[in-house]
Amino acid sequence: MVKLEHLSGQEAHLAIPVRPMPSLESKTCVPCRGGVPPLKGKELADIHKQLPDWAHWKVINEHHIVRTFTFPDFKQALDFVNRVGSLAEEQGHHPDILLSWGKAEITLWTHKIDGLTESDFIMAAKIDRLAIG
């Protein structure tokens, strides 16, 4: 509810519907053309907390985010990495991926600006979804 003051000095109330922000997972990565500053400080912390599984993604030096996913064997880790690769191609946003027995480590940042953008967090949210789906 928003309180407005009419020119006559009387108050009026106006109901404005509040729409929830779309989840990161529902957004699409946008190619970075440069010329934008990387996310830092409070803005970075706020978007980090929007990740569904944010506590597992580590922000490193306000430059990149990293998460390690674990699996019972190499084959399942490889299957996950292949799904991440397909998603990366679809989104046009390509993480660094380290595959080892039972583990896949994903590192994201936007190379064009040498730092983090919203697209890195969109991709992280989509990767989280792949891990549970």
Side-chain angles (χ1 to χ4, degrees):
M1 184 84 52
V2 175
K3 184 172 96 173
L4 301 173
E5 190 168 321
H6 191 270
L7 290 176
S8 67
Q10 296 179 343
E11 289 182 4
H13 294 276
L14 176 64
I16 298 176
V18 177
R19 293 189 185 124
M21 283 186 358
S23 69
L24 288 170
E25 181 189 330
S26 70
K27 295 181 177 183
T28 301
C29 292
V30 177
C32 181
R33 310 234 185 274
V36 296
L39 296 169
K40 298 282 184 190
K42 182 174 175 3
E43 187 179 22
L44 174 58
D46 288 348
I47 198 165
H48 180 217
K49 294 269 170 105
Q50 291 177 39
L51 286 174
D53 211 3
W54 68 270
H56 289 96
W57 287 95
K58 304 298 179 214
V59 176
I60 310 297
N61 298 326
E62 292 192 326
H63 177 266
H64 55 279
I65 54 175
V66 178
R67 179 171 180 186
T68 300
F69 296 85
T70 57
F71 303 90
D73 56 36
F74 184 82
K75 183 183 180 328
Q76 289 182 54
L78 178 60
D79 289 344
F80 174 71
V81 164
N82 286 329
R83 290 194 322 272
V84 170
S86 293
L87 174 65
E89 279 298 298
E90 174 189 302
Q91 292 293 308
H93 197 76
H94 302 91
D96 289 353
I97 303 171
L98 175 63
L99 171 65
S100 59
W101 195 96
K103 285 196 301 190
E105 182 181 276
I106 309 291
T107 304
L108 286 158
W109 82 94
T110 300
H111 296 247
K112 189 80 173 176
I113 63 165
D114 196 27
L116 291 163
T117 64
E118 181 185 41
S119 288
D120 298 302
F121 291 90
I122 291 169
M123 189 67 181
K126 290 177 181 295
I127 291 169
D128 281 349
R129 182 69 179 156
L130 284 179
I132 62 169

